[in-house]
Amino acid sequence: MKFVDEAHIEVFAGNGGNGCMSFRREKFIPFGGPDGGDGGRGGHIYAEADPNLNTLIDFRYQRLYRARNGEHGRGADQFGAAGDDMLLRVPVGTLVRDEATGELLADLAAPGQRVVLAQGGTGGMGNLRFKSSTNRAPRQSTPGQPGEQRRLQLELKVLADVGLLGLPNAGKSTFIASVSNARPKIADYPFTTLHPQLGVVRVGPGRSFVVADIPGLIEGAAEGAGLGHQFLRHLQRTRLLLHLVDVAPLDPEADPVRDARSVVAELKKYDPELAAKPRWLVLNKLDMLDEQQRAERVAEIRRRLRYKGPMYAISALTREGLEPLLRDIDQTLRPQAQGDEATVDPNDPRFAAHEPSDDS
């Protein structure tokens, strides 16, 4: 199924039914009095987060949604029926914005969460409502109110604990395939990942976390190069970023340090808050180097970046070095997930945002 993470729709809630002006007319009852009923309310339009959905593709092809109008009131004290409500099911993590004002109407981040997108109009009052001791034969009724109409923007941000960041061919897809049951496309050319991939990593009985892989970010993405920034929104809900760096690029002119800095620069251009998230450096593709080259390459990268945060050297293909990394991720995320007696030291380097520095 095609992955769609943004859609524009128009919703029309149902109009309320008109109130009825009527008088009772029966044999032997010359003064039956008013018996006009109220109109029914128009149908509301709801949105509900459905954990079984993972794309907004349905809203890409159907963009107009109308709820039913309320029935008009009738004589003999008959009130109009309310219009049927309409329920739109969206993936968990969907944001709903008013397209005209840009106002955020809802953030459907929990399964089963429901919100009203458009309120149905109230029904009008029949002349039965205006009967009083001084007005025994009212000849007035009110029309139903129109339902709300809105143009909405739906934006999906996937829910994940850990986000993978890096250049194309840094090994992100291989990483998520090695640590979870996700099976993304893996090939020896860039941009094999065209949409976000989610994988559940199980580290023990009842302990797991979700990893999100997005298409690679290249230098100049802010100006439209590559796939641009369109998928970085899916990292905004994560609590930890893993910055994967290819330590053995096939291109002899490629520089892992320069590549790492370019990714961080593009991240800052997109969202400074996202760039400030805790970010760990993961040096991937150790299997491409011999033992002596590994130690020298890792030490060189750390020295040139002047990086003092958490750094891991792994091979996602052979799973070398993955277990310590996954164990540390679990230990880092667990206090935040429990939120009871566990406390997080803000000075702990594991929770600090680290940025590659310039050469000294």
Side-chain angles (χ1 to χ4, degrees):
M1 179 182 292
K2 184 178 179 181
F3 182 83
V4 176
D5 60 357
E6 187 173 348
H8 299 267
I9 63 173
E10 196 166 359
V11 294
F12 295 84
N15 299 326
N18 297 329
C20 176
M21 187 185 69
S22 172
F23 292 91
R24 185 179 179 187
R25 294 287 187 263
E26 293 185 32
K27 193 175 182 181
F28 306 121
I29 305 179
F31 301 102
D35 65 352
D38 296 346
R41 71 159 177 84
H44 304 317
I45 299 183
Y46 296 92
E48 181 177 298
D50 188 342
N52 298 315
L53 299 177
N54 55 15
T55 176
L56 296 171
I57 190 169
D58 294 337
F59 302 98
R60 178 63 64 89
Y61 300 108
Q62 182 180 350
R63 303 189 178 186
L64 189 63
Y65 297 88
R66 292 181 182 273
R68 291 186 176 274
N69 297 330
E71 292 185 355
H72 300 309
R74 296 182 292 272
D77 298 344
Q78 297 182 35
F79 285 33
D84 294 334
D85 296 331
M86 177 176 288
L87 180 62
L88 307 182
R89 299 189 182 276
V90 299
V92 178
T94 299
L95 281 73
V96 183
R97 287 189 172 89
D98 190 303
E99 196 171 88
T101 63
E103 176 189 0
L104 179 62
L105 302 178
D107 183 0
L108 302 174
Q113 185 178 351
R114 181 179 291 193
V115 64
V116 178
L117 299 180
Q119 194 88 20
T122 57
M125 294 186 294
N127 65 338
L128 180 62
R129 292 284 186 181
F130 297 95
K131 179 182 177 181
S132 67
S133 60
T134 57
N135 188 8
R136 306 298 296 275
R139 296 181 176 274
Q140 60 187 118
S141 61
T142 59
Q145 298 298 312
E148 289 185 328
Q149 303 179 14
R150 275 179 170 168
R151 293 182 59 87
L152 303 175
Q153 177 187 1
L154 305 182
E155 180 182 346
L156 174 60
K157 293 183 179 179
V158 299
L159 299 178
D161 301 301
V162 179
L164 302 183
L165 192 67
L167 290 178
N169 270 6
K172 302 188 301 301
S173 297
T174 304
F175 178 89
I176 197 172
S178 298
V179 301
S180 71
N181 289 329
R183 292 296 175 262
K185 183 178 180 180
I186 301 174
D188 58 353
Y189 55 84
F191 297 115
T192 54
T193 300
L194 299 178
H195 56 79
Q197 298 279 349
L198 293 180
V200 178
V201 181
R202 303 192 184 279
V203 292
R207 298 192 348 244
S208 64
F209 57 87
V210 180
V211 177
D213 174 26
I214 66 168
L217 191 67
I218 66 175
E219 187 175 1
E223 288 74 36
L227 295 180
H229 288 156
Q230 57 181 317
F231 292 111
L232 278 177
R233 72 178 69 141
H234 298 289
L235 298 182
Q236 291 179 326
R237 297 184 187 271
T238 60
R239 292 182 280 167
L240 175 66
L241 299 178
L242 296 184
H243 185 172
L244 270 69
V245 177
D246 183 357
V247 297
L250 298 178
D251 185 358
E253 298 183 359
D255 181 4
V257 174
R258 184 181 68 240
D259 294 342
R261 289 186 181 134
S262 67
V263 169
V264 174
E266 295 299 328
L267 198 63
K268 289 181 177 179
K269 291 179 183 179
Y270 177 77
D271 185 0
E273 292 185 6
L274 179 59
K277 283 182 178 290
R279 184 172 60 256
W280 294 0
L281 201 60
V282 180
L283 307 182
N284 191 22
K285 301 187 181 182
L286 282 186
D287 56 289
M288 302 290 290
L289 305 174
D290 57 36
E291 292 295 334
Q292 183 178 359
Q293 287 179 316
R294 293 181 183 183
E296 293 177 354
R297 187 66 56 84
V298 172
E300 178 190 3
I301 293 177
R302 182 183 286 274
R303 176 185 59 81
R304 291 183 57 192
L305 290 177
R306 296 192 297 178
Y307 186 81
K308 298 180 181 180
M311 178 183 289
Y312 298 83
I314 68 166
S315 170
L317 183 63
T318 63
R319 293 189 56 86
E320 180 182 353
L322 284 182
E323 293 304 323
L325 172 59
L326 299 181
R327 183 178 61 249
D328 289 350
I329 293 175
D330 177 57
Q331 292 294 330
T332 300
L333 297 178
R334 203 188 312 175
Q336 301 183 43
Q338 291 175 349
D340 43 12
E341 299 178 358
T343 58
V344 177
D345 182 6
N347 298 320
D348 190 331
R350 295 178 302 170
F351 296 91
H354 301 281
E355 304 173 1
S357 304
D358 296 333
D359 291 341
S360 54

